[in-house]
Amino acid sequence: MAQGKTKVKTKTRTEKAVAPAPTDWAVNYANTITQDDLRKHLTVLASDAYEGRETGEKGQRMAADYLAKQFAALGLTGPVQNSDSPYLQHFTLERNHWAAEQMKLQIGKQQYQLLQDYFISSDSPFSQETTLQPIFVGYGIEQDAYNDYAGLDVKGKDLIVLAGEPTKDGKPLLSTDGKPSKWGLDTRAKSALATQKGVRSVFFINPDADKFAQNLARFMPYLNQPRMDFPGKAQAQSPRAATYFISTAVGYELLSSNAEGVAKYQAAVAEAGKPVKASFKPAKVVVRSPRKTETFATENVMGYLEGTDKKDEVLVLSAHYDHLGVRDGKVYNGADDDGSGTVSVLELAEAFGKAKAEGHGPRRSILFLAVTGEEKGLFGSEFYTDNPVFPLAQTIADLNLDMVGRTDDNHKPGDQYVCLVGSDKLSSELHAISEDMNKKYTQLELDYRYNDPKDPERVYYRSDHYNFARHKVPVIFYTTGDHADYHQLTDDVEKIEFPLMEKRGRLVFHTAWELANRDNRPVVDSNKP
C-alpha cells in the first residue's frame, strides 16, 4: 500500500503589540530653552543702551519695560492689581549720599579731604559740626585674656583703633594656626564689638600707608555710590558705630605722635603678649558728615501662568534684573550678574507658556518674577515677600537664578556644573527632587560648596531666594560662583558660555516641571533659614 502525504496543521502566532512609551513632555518643552534665544535676549538687556540697569535709573526702567512686554507676548497675565501696568509692582526706596561739599574733618587748623585723606564706611551721627575727644584703645580687640577694653567705659565715646592685629616675629598673637584671626582680616569684627559696647564712632588707623591707599582704591567705586533702603528703615534700625578710616599721616596727627611712636607701641604689645598702656595724647578732631536723602520709585516685574487643578498653589521662578549702572562714565553691563538669570527666566516662561498653549500646562500656577534692587540690598525680593501678590502660605518653592552663564575660578573651562545653594535648608524633599531631575535629564555636576553653613562668603544669604527662605518657603539658588569679571566692566555678553547656560536652564525647567505637576508640594521638614 502506497503512503500518502500527511497534512500538518500549524497555528500562526500573533505577536502582541508593544504600546509606545508615553511622551515625556518635560523633555519636549525643556528643549525650547535654547542658547540662541538666551543670546538674543541678553544681547538686548546687557547692552550699553540699558545703562547697566541700576535701580531707580533710566536703564532699569527700560529693562522693566522690556521684560513686561516679553511676558505679555508669551501669553502670561499680569497679576498686579491697582498698578498702571499689571506686570509691574511699584514700590518706593530712599537714596542717600554724602553731601560732599559740607564734609569736614579737621585737626587743629588742618582740614583733610574726603576720599583722599579719609573715608567713611557707615552712617554717621555727625550731621552738624561736632568736636570730638577720642580715646585710644589699642587694637580694639576683646578675646579671652587679651582685652583692649579692660577697665574702660566706652559707651557713647569716640575711639581710635589700630587696624590689623598684634604680631610677634611675623605671626599673629591671637591665632592658633599662624593665619590671621578675624581681628586681622578686616575691621568688621572690631566695628561690631565697638557697636556692641555702645561706642559712637571709631577712627581706624592703618600704620601701613600703602595698605590704606589700597583699601581706599578698592572701596572707591562703592563709596561714591548712594546707599538705598526703604524710607525710614535706616532710622528705625539700631545705630552702628560710625566708622572712619583715616590715612596713616592723619592718624599720626590724631595720636599726636609719629611712625616711631606707633611702632614702639606695637613692639611693646608684641613683647608683652597683651595690651599695654599707651603714652599717646590724642588730639581733638572736628567732624561734620551730613547726607542728602531723596525718595524714588522702582519696580518688580512679573508674569503669571495659571495652573489647572492645583492653581491655588504657586511656584516662583525668580532672578534679579538690576545691576550697577554707570560709574565714571562707564557702563557696567552685568551680562552674567544677573542678565544670565533674567533671560533664563524669560526662557522658562516661554517653555511653560508653550506647554500650556498646547494643552500640557502645569497643574500648579507659576509666577515668573524679575526683581529689582538686589545689588543694593535684596530690596525687590524683600518688598515682594513682605507684600506678596500670592500668599506665601500657598507658595510651594522659589527657584532663583543669579549668575548662571560663566565658569568660576574653582572649575576649569568645559566643566559641566552648577552650584546649588539652600536646596536642603528647609525641605529635604525639594533637595531629593532636584537630585533626581538632574540624574534623569541633565547630568550636571552639582556643586554644594556654598551650601556649607561655614561658607565664609555667606552666599546663601546674598541673593533673592533668601527673602523667601526667611518666610519658610523652600528654595534652590542656582549660581556658578564668582569669576574675575564679577562686578567689573568686563562682565559682557561676549564672555557668556551659552551652551552651558542652556543646560543649566533646562535643569531648572525639569525641577520646576516636577514641582508644578506632582501630587504633593514639597514638605517643609527643616528650619534653617
Side-chain angles (χ1 to χ4, degrees):
M1 183 173 94
Q3 294 183 343
K5 293 184 178 180
T6 303
K7 290 186 177 180
V8 179
K9 292 184 178 180
T10 59
K11 290 184 178 181
T12 302
R13 186 174 181 179
T14 302
E15 295 291 335
K16 188 175 180 180
V18 178
T23 301
D24 189 340
W25 293 109
V27 173
N28 191 58
Y29 296 112
N31 288 342
T32 69
I33 298 173
T34 67
Q35 53 187 293
D36 288 342
D37 284 351
L38 292 165
R39 185 188 300 273
K40 177 186 71 174
H41 290 303
L42 191 57
T43 300
V44 175
L45 287 172
S47 67
D48 285 354
Y50 281 69
E51 299 181 354
R53 310 184 306 277
E54 183 173 6
T55 300
E57 300 297 334
K58 174 186 173 184
Q60 178 254 301
R61 294 190 295 271
M62 290 172 62
D65 181 66
Y66 180 88
L67 294 170
K69 288 178 178 176
Q70 292 299 318
F71 285 151
L74 293 171
L76 306 183
T77 58
V80 186
Q81 298 181 2
N82 303 317
S83 174
D84 58 339
S85 166
Y87 295 94
L88 301 179
Q89 183 187 45
H90 299 285
F91 61 98
T92 301
L93 286 175
E94 187 175 82
R95 177 193 293 123
N96 68 77
H97 54 85
W98 296 118
E101 69 282 359
Q102 300 179 47
M103 301 293 285
K104 186 174 187 178
L105 191 150
Q106 179 175 330
I107 301 173
K109 295 182 179 181
Q110 180 65 48
Q111 288 200 39
Y112 298 98
Q113 297 299 310
L114 179 69
L115 303 184
Q116 179 177 316
D117 300 308
Y118 72 99
F119 62 93
I120 312 173
S121 69
S122 67
D123 287 330
S124 167
F126 308 120
S127 57
Q128 303 296 322
E129 187 170 301
T130 308
T131 300
L132 313 179
Q133 179 58 75
I135 57 177
F136 179 70
V137 292
Y139 288 94
I141 294 173
E142 185 178 82
Q143 177 178 309
D144 302 327
Y146 192 102
N147 187 0
D148 282 307
Y149 289 96
L152 295 177
D153 178 9
V154 294
K155 186 174 182 179
K157 303 290 180 61
D158 307 291
L159 309 183
I160 303 171
V161 172
L162 291 180
E165 62 183 320
T167 61
K168 186 172 184 179
D169 299 327
K171 297 180 179 180
L173 283 177
L174 302 177
S175 171
T176 57
D177 58 5
K179 297 179 181 178
S181 72
K182 66 177 181 179
W183 307 106
L185 289 173
D186 54 44
T187 60
R188 284 179 291 186
K190 295 182 181 182
S191 294
L193 178 60
T195 295
Q196 180 183 333
K197 292 181 175 295
V199 170
R200 183 169 61 167
S201 67
V202 181
F203 292 82
F204 282 103
I205 301 173
N206 196 323
D208 187 327
D210 289 339
K211 286 188 177 179
F212 170 80
Q214 290 168 8
N215 287 335
L216 177 58
R218 176 187 172 195
F219 290 113
M220 185 71 79
Y222 303 97
L223 297 170
N224 280 323
Q225 295 300 305
R227 293 181 189 161
M228 294 183 187
D229 214 323
F230 293 102
K233 186 173 180 179
Q235 291 82 350
Q237 295 173 342
S238 299
R240 294 186 300 160
T243 307
Y244 288 74
F245 293 86
I246 56 179
S247 72
T248 306
V250 176
Y252 294 152
E253 291 297 321
L254 187 56
L255 288 173
S256 300
S257 186
N258 52 32
E260 290 76 16
V262 171
K264 183 178 179 181
Y265 172 81
Q266 291 177 296
V269 171
E271 182 64 28
K274 61 182 181 180
V276 298
K277 184 176 177 60
S279 59
F280 304 125
K281 298 185 183 303
K284 291 182 179 180
V285 56
V286 179
V287 295
R288 182 174 60 227
S289 48
R291 296 185 76 91
K292 290 182 178 179
T293 301
E294 60 182 355
T295 58
F296 66 95
T298 188
E299 43 278 316
N300 293 325
V301 191
M302 56 191 79
Y304 174 66
L305 188 76
E306 187 175 66
T308 55
D309 62 309
K310 292 183 175 291
K311 64 182 179 182
D312 291 337
E313 294 182 350
V314 180
L315 170 66
V316 177
L317 304 182
S318 64
H320 76 88
Y321 71 97
D322 65 296
H323 194 54
L324 303 181
V326 180
R327 298 182 175 183
D328 296 325
K330 298 175 182 178
V331 180
Y332 286 70
N333 286 318
D336 192 27
D337 185 16
D338 182 32
S340 62
T342 301
V343 300
S344 294
V345 168
L346 284 180
E347 279 292 274
L348 290 162
E350 180 180 0
F352 277 103
K354 184 176 177 63
K356 182 173 182 177
E358 295 180 356
H360 304 290
R363 299 174 69 187
R364 291 180 176 83
S365 300
I366 302 179
L367 179 66
F368 300 91
L369 176 63
V371 295
T372 185
E374 191 271 353
E375 299 289 3
K376 306 297 183 181
L378 311 185
F379 295 128
S381 55
E382 180 178 350
F383 186 82
Y384 178 82
T385 53
D386 286 347
N387 305 272
V389 174
F390 301 99
L392 294 184
Q394 294 299 104
T395 302
I396 69 162
D398 170 51
L399 307 184
N400 182 57
L401 298 89
D402 189 350
M403 297 177 63
V404 291
R406 296 283 299 275
T407 297
D408 68 9
D409 298 332
N410 291 295
H411 292 84
K412 62 183 183 297
D415 280 357
Q416 303 290 296
Y417 83 101
V418 65
C419 298
L420 268 62
V421 191
S423 59
D424 64 343
K425 299 293 186 185
L426 292 166
S427 173
S428 60
E429 194 171 21
L430 177 62
H431 180 76
I433 290 168
S434 169
E435 289 270 338
D436 289 346
M437 293 303 101
N438 181 62
K439 183 177 181 180
K440 184 176 181 180
Y441 293 109
T442 46
Q443 295 87 49
L444 286 164
E445 173 202 343
L446 302 183
D447 185 333
Y448 292 106
R449 72 180 183 277
Y450 292 130
N451 218 32
D452 186 340
K454 297 180 181 179
D455 168 30
E457 296 182 52
R458 292 173 59 82
V459 170
Y460 175 61
Y461 304 93
R462 288 173 46 195
S463 192
D464 295 294
H465 62 281
Y466 181 68
N467 278 317
F468 286 90
R470 69 185 180 90
H471 287 281
K472 305 299 188 292
V473 176
V475 301
I476 302 178
F477 173 29
Y478 300 84
T479 188
T480 50
D482 288 353
H483 45 72
D485 300 304
Y486 171 66
H487 280 194
Q488 301 299 314
L489 281 167
T490 47
D491 183 8
D492 284 321
V493 175
E494 292 75 16
K495 295 189 176 183
I496 296 294
E497 300 165 67
F498 286 101
L500 192 51
M501 185 173 155
E502 172 189 277
K503 195 170 185 179
R504 291 162 178 157
R506 291 181 180 181
L507 170 61
V508 180
F509 175 85
H510 284 296
T511 305
W513 180 276
E514 175 66 16
L515 290 169
N517 287 298
R518 68 201 306 265
D519 288 336
N520 299 311
R521 61 190 290 175
V523 64
V524 177
D525 57 2
S526 185
N527 184 23
K528 306 175 185 176

